[in-house]
Amino acid sequence: MTSILVTGRGGQVGGALADLADDPRFGHVTITATDRSTLDLGDPASITDAIDELSPDIVINAAAFTAVDATEADEATATAVNADGVRTLAEACAARSARLIQLSTDYVFDGSKDGWYVESDPVTPLGAYGRSKAAGEEAARVCDDHLILRTAWVYAAAGQNFVRTMLRVGAERNELRVVDDQVGCPTSAGDIAEALLRLAELDLTGTYHLAGAEALSWHAFATAIFEEAGFPVTVLPIGTVEYPTPAPRPANSRLDSTALADATGIQLPGWTTSLPDVVAAILDTDS
């Protein structure tokens, strides 16, 4: 039986992976999901100790410093976690012949491309978060047996994400202004988790995109969320300049996942397929 160590249990993807630990579809693997109390990417000793103690065959790193705006004021901490911590993890995996699956992000791109991003496009992050994650990709490659997967616009029934925020705010207001000039691929954490466990079985290395198959703007996504929830909210489109944030966002976050589909047959569904279940779960939990 293959043993898988998951970092970042408190996050969206890490939590979704933990939820699959007893799923009979993945009964051929054992999943140990850890949080910072066991494996803290900011603490090198905790990384090596956890790998030594648990001796996993595969490590799925779903942990990261993901507070995008906060990284602009504290890039050192973001780098320590998202890059230096990943390097220590990669070195520990390499030393013990474990496979490393590293989650990365659309923020490694600057968003200026007119079209969908493919894996060979230049990595040119706009801000501190993207820089730390790009450095994390390089760090992961220290382990020869690595698989780096870039995803985007992750949402789930748990955790902090755009869908939960919209439903919370939409329950209190009947009109919102949402950015309409940033486009990306909303991706369900549950879909990512299932794909990760399928990918864990395959002998695949390198860097690939793993994102939802459909793209739209934040404004259009918010409108769809409210329609799914049955909330009578008017969503007004605004430009990025009208909603300034500490960290710059890529205007184009469309990730082309064709290469992964061609290599493995694994392709995530689009948001139109996955959003209804997530919205229903949030409404059920919050009711």
Side-chain angles (χ1 to χ4, degrees):
M1 184 172 288
T2 301
S3 61
I4 299 177
L5 170 62
V6 174
T7 69
R9 178 173 185 154
Q12 295 182 97
V13 175
L17 283 162
D19 289 343
L20 293 174
D22 297 321
D23 191 311
R25 293 175 298 167
F26 304 106
H28 56 286
V29 301
T30 59
I31 300 172
T32 302
T34 63
D35 57 21
R36 290 179 62 188
S37 66
T38 301
L39 195 159
D40 182 352
L41 288 182
D43 179 359
S46 80
I47 298 171
T48 54
D49 288 348
I51 299 299
D52 284 343
E53 178 181 350
L54 298 170
S55 299
D57 299 308
I58 300 168
V59 175
I60 299 178
N61 182 30
F65 188 115
T66 58
V68 176
D69 288 327
T71 62
E72 292 300 312
D74 192 5
E75 186 167 358
T77 298
T79 300
V81 172
N82 295 343
D84 300 339
V86 174
R87 179 172 293 276
T88 302
L89 188 63
E91 291 171 346
C93 287
R96 293 155 186 80
S97 299
R99 186 180 188 210
L100 175 61
I101 300 179
Q102 167 71 15
L103 285 183
S104 191
T105 173
D106 55 307
Y107 277 75
V108 301
F109 299 118
D110 64 13
S112 63
K113 182 177 181 178
D114 182 17
W116 292 65
Y117 277 95
V118 296
E119 289 80 356
S120 59
D121 284 323
V123 170
T124 53
L126 291 173
Y129 174 67
R131 288 191 292 270
S132 72
K133 292 295 286 183
E137 291 187 0
E138 287 301 316
R141 296 183 181 109
V142 168
C143 177
D144 288 339
D145 191 3
H146 70 266
L147 178 60
I148 298 166
L149 298 165
R150 297 175 182 143
T151 192
W153 292 26
V154 180
Y155 65 94
Q160 297 182 359
N161 57 72
F162 185 77
V163 176
R164 286 190 61 85
T165 298
M166 288 298 101
L167 291 176
R168 174 178 55 80
V169 177
E172 303 167 351
R173 299 165 58 182
N174 58 17
E175 184 176 285
L176 293 175
R177 304 190 328 150
V178 179
V179 170
D180 194 36
D181 56 0
Q182 295 175 22
V183 180
C185 302
T187 310
S188 161
D191 292 339
I192 295 172
E194 292 190 18
L196 287 171
L197 293 185
R198 292 173 62 193
L199 288 165
E201 305 175 41
L202 306 179
D203 185 18
L204 179 71
T205 58
T207 302
Y208 292 89
H209 294 168
L210 177 68
E214 299 165 332
L216 77 174
S217 71
W218 286 120
H219 171 267
F221 193 35
T223 301
I225 292 166
F226 295 134
E227 288 178 350
E228 183 63 39
F231 286 7
V233 179
T234 299
V235 187
L236 303 176
I238 61 171
T240 298
V241 295
E242 298 175 75
Y243 188 75
T245 56
R249 267 68 171 171
N252 175 22
S253 289
R254 291 175 291 175
L255 299 182
D256 186 334
S257 301
T258 303
L260 184 67
D262 288 347
T264 66
I266 295 173
Q267 185 171 24
L268 300 189
W271 65 268
T272 54
T273 298
S274 302
L275 179 65
D277 287 343
V278 174
V279 169
I282 294 171
L283 295 178
D284 181 61
T285 300
D286 294 346
S287 62

